[in-house]
Amino acid sequence: MTDQFDVVVVGGGPAGYVASIRCAQLGLNTACVDEWINAQGKPALGGTCLNVGCIPSKSLLESSERFAQAQHEFADHGVKVSAVKLDLATMLARKDRVVLELTQGIEQLFKANKVEWVKGRGQLQAGKQVQVTDRAGKTRKLQAEHVILAPGSSAVQLDSAPLHKDIVVDSTGALAFNSVPKRLGVIGAGVIGLELGSVWKRLGAETVTLLEAQDSFLPMADEQVAKEAQKSYTKQGLDIQLGSRVTACTVKGRKVDISYQNGDGEHRAQFDRLIVAVGRRANTHGLAADEAGLLLDEWGFIHVDDQCRSNLPGIYAIGDAVRGPMLAHKGSEEGIMVADLIAGHTAQVDYNIIPSVIYTHPEIAWVGATEQALRAAGVKYNSGMFPHVASGRARALGDTGGFIKLLADAQTDRILGAHMIGPQSSELVAEVAIAMQLGGSAEDLGLTMFAHPSLSESVHEAALALHGHAIHIAPRRKH
Ligand code: NAD
């Protein structure tokens, strides 16, 4: 049986499901092919992000943060609690409920927008056809005018640390530990390692050791932010070992022995659980039949132009499987762009304005260029910084660590980037992203009125500081 669609989207994660809904909104007859089977053994939309990524991790980050606050911070607010106890099963069940509600929500949105969800594994064939194979092995051919490939990514595996039951796990396994590990090891001090390491430290892990191959910490972030973050994580008890490469890993009963090398030589360590979080790779293996002629790059990403067109006419690719950061919101915006292009509209994602967030405590967020990137490019810029310790709202919250830094072009004053560490950075970064999208200057932000007392005043103050006019910090002394 062959079915005819205007658009067939392969993949129902944040890139693919958003593309599907937008296509349908624009009057295109759309099918979305997805093969995800959730923990309950049922097909589910939402991909990695909703099922085993952003959403469950944020759910556990939120719950674990409350547990830690109840233990360590309530007393300072004059709230006495005794015998704070962890009910991990309830915490995990809540996370699973949040996931289920959201994934079912996508299913409802598909119904409301008349997007057909075709369950099974999609493979691109020649001639804009997608062959779908369901769980029973039955195939169905979908003929499309346009195909959008959004297959997502999977965790990179390490030969030196193969996954083993619930002892050596990837991020999916680390979201479902049924007990708090006493000694937790994490390979990779990237975004996932830091977020999941934080969750289990807050929930009571005695030691959390992160073994990071690179010598620098969070090299993609602003240097000052990375330095402040490293200090803060270390204070919380995350033991970050830079320049450390795991060479072997042996599971013995419920323990895992590892060997790793760093500048001082060979070392050994033993953990109760080990998380492997060393990056992700594009899910492009077997995505297209050879006859289709889809071009991949040397890393396995689908080769696309700035508007996500592949080498094949009418075939687009978006999200984690194409160049750029592996972020859900980047994939979603690419999905919207491609849907608009297919419908004949003009559209272009601005790849210079992609917010990034690390949901640790304190939160880290940035948008636009870092100081090191501007320096390397020889761009002259001014910077303005405001520390949260000088914010009334941050003091009332009892969360005064970190700062907001704004960078603007020295000649035009146009905002080039913002880098923040501290409370609600994930929300505050959006203010600067909007200003950048509108071509705003630091002066524009300085002239905007912000509610008092609010954390967003620190964005205002950083903009004022850029020209030496911050009100609530003493001016820097000129030598
Ligand atoms: P990552 O690239 O952020 O970090 C992986 C780290 O592992 C790197 O620092 C790398 O140097 C290190 N590494 C690689 N090989 C190693 C080895 N053999 N030994 C020790 N260290 C090694 O990747 P991730 O943390 O796995 O996350 C995957 C993707 O998911 C990223 O693109 C990330 O942006 C995305 N993600 C985003 C969020 C968020 O937006 N908050 C949360 C989770 C994941």
Side-chain angles (χ1 to χ4, degrees):
M1 172 167 103
T2 305
D3 299 290
Q4 183 78 37
F5 292 91
D6 294 329
V7 182
V8 172
V9 180
V10 179
Y17 87 70
V18 169
S20 302
I21 291 174
R22 180 61 148 226
C23 284
Q25 284 174 346
L26 293 165
L28 299 161
N29 178 21
T30 306
C32 179
V33 182
D34 195 285
E35 63 170 340
W36 195 280
I37 302 295
N38 67 14
Q40 293 78 37
K42 300 237 166 70
L45 289 165
T48 299
C49 171
L50 272 77
N51 287 285
V52 292
C54 327
I55 297 301
S57 66
K58 260 83 266 178
S59 175
L60 286 186
L61 279 156
E62 197 66 49
S63 299
S64 60
E65 177 69 9
R66 289 182 189 207
F67 178 63
Q69 280 176 348
Q71 286 177 306
H72 310 299
E73 291 173 28
F74 280 12
D76 187 49
H77 287 263
V79 180
K80 283 195 176 173
V81 284
S82 56
V84 178
K85 274 197 349 216
L86 175 65
D87 177 355
L88 184 60
T90 299
M91 196 179 278
L92 295 177
R94 175 186 177 275
K95 170 209 67 168
D96 292 341
R97 211 167 49 241
V98 171
V99 167
L100 198 64
E101 283 164 6
L102 285 171
T103 52
Q104 286 175 346
I106 309 292
E107 201 176 332
Q108 293 310 317
L109 287 172
F110 269 18
K111 282 192 185 135
N113 284 285
K114 302 198 169 46
V115 173
E116 183 175 339
W117 174 16
V118 182
K119 300 176 186 92
R121 183 170 179 77
Q123 188 189 49
L124 180 72
Q125 313 285 311
K128 296 190 214 168
Q129 264 196 7
V130 174
Q131 177 170 299
V132 184
T133 309
D134 70 13
R135 273 207 278 180
K138 225 172 98 201
T139 60
R140 177 178 165 189
K141 284 216 164 90
L142 311 178
Q143 180 67 51
E145 290 293 317
H146 308 269
V147 177
I148 305 176
L149 300 171
S153 61
S154 321
V156 168
Q157 313 269 331
L158 280 184
D159 288 343
S160 56
L163 303 188
H164 183 90
K165 297 184 187 158
D166 62 340
I167 304 214
V168 182
V169 298
D170 60 11
S171 56
T172 303
L175 290 165
F177 286 152
N178 58 7
S179 62
V180 178
K182 270 206 172 86
R183 291 167 303 170
L184 175 66
V186 184
I187 308 182
V191 185
I192 292 183
L194 290 167
E195 291 185 354
L196 291 176
S198 297
V199 164
W200 294 106
K201 183 77 191 92
R202 290 172 197 167
L203 294 181
E206 282 166 21
T207 60
V208 175
T209 309
L210 294 105
L211 300 165
E212 167 57 54
Q214 298 187 76
D215 292 323
S216 57
F217 181 61
L218 291 180
M220 67 290 200
D222 175 85
E223 280 165 353
Q224 227 173 335
V225 168
K227 211 166 137 201
E228 181 81 12
Q230 193 175 355
K231 245 188 349 201
S232 173
Y233 298 150
T234 305
K235 215 166 125 199
Q236 289 165 35
L238 299 184
D239 177 12
I240 301 166
Q241 306 265 349
L242 298 176
S244 299
R245 196 168 277 279
V246 174
T247 49
C249 162
T250 322
V251 177
K252 283 190 190 140
R254 299 289 308 167
K255 307 266 176 254
V256 47
D257 284 328
I258 65 149
S259 307
Y260 66 96
Q261 275 176 343
N262 63 17
D264 304 332
E266 187 87 23
H267 304 268
R268 299 175 69 84
Q270 191 178 66
F271 302 112
D272 303 308
R273 301 267 169 87
L274 181 65
I275 304 173
V276 182
V278 293
R280 300 180 64 83
R281 68 162 54 100
N283 286 336
T284 47
H285 184 71
L287 176 69
D290 287 347
E291 313 81 76
L294 182 71
L295 187 63
L296 304 183
D297 71 14
E298 57 189 313
W299 302 102
F301 289 101
I302 304 165
H303 180 82
V304 288
D305 68 9
D306 262 5
Q307 289 179 312
C308 294
R309 288 185 194 86
S310 77
N311 65 312
L312 304 171
I315 315 287
Y316 297 82
I318 58 175
D320 282 8
V322 303
R323 83 283 167 270
M326 289 184 169
L327 297 171
H329 44 278
K330 173 261 191 187
S332 299
E333 289 308 312
E334 288 179 331
I336 288 176
M337 169 177 75
V338 167
D340 286 352
L341 291 172
I342 289 172
H345 303 303
T346 309
Q348 179 62 60
V349 165
D350 188 338
Y351 287 101
N352 291 318
I353 313 180
I354 301 178
S356 290
V357 178
I358 306 180
Y359 292 85
T360 43
H361 184 95
E363 279 186 354
I364 294 175
W366 69 91
V367 62
T370 57
E371 284 202 65
Q372 56 266 33
L374 292 176
R375 279 198 304 267
V379 177
K380 296 248 180 309
Y381 64 94
N382 291 320
S383 102
M385 193 207 268
F386 191 77
H388 287 297
V389 74
S391 151
R393 185 66 194 271
R395 287 212 173 223
L397 272 175
D399 201 353
T400 52
F403 57 83
I404 293 181
K405 180 163 79 177
L406 214 64
L407 308 175
D409 188 287
Q411 272 184 338
T412 63
D413 196 39
R414 195 182 169 119
I415 303 164
L416 299 174
H419 304 276
M420 37 190 92
I421 173 164
Q424 301 291 336
S425 294
S426 57
E427 305 293 338
L428 296 174
V429 74
E431 299 181 3
V432 186
I434 294 169
M436 288 176 74
Q437 193 70 49
L438 300 176
S441 63
E443 188 184 24
D444 289 329
L445 274 181
L447 289 169
T448 306
M449 195 186 296
F450 289 77
H452 177 73
S454 67
L455 292 170
S456 62
E457 284 175 296
S458 299
V459 173
H460 188 220
E461 289 273 17
L464 294 173
L466 200 132
H467 297 299
H469 297 149
I471 300 296
H472 293 93
I473 38 170
R476 268 189 241 161
R477 259 203 233 135
K478 294 211 170 80
H479 296 286

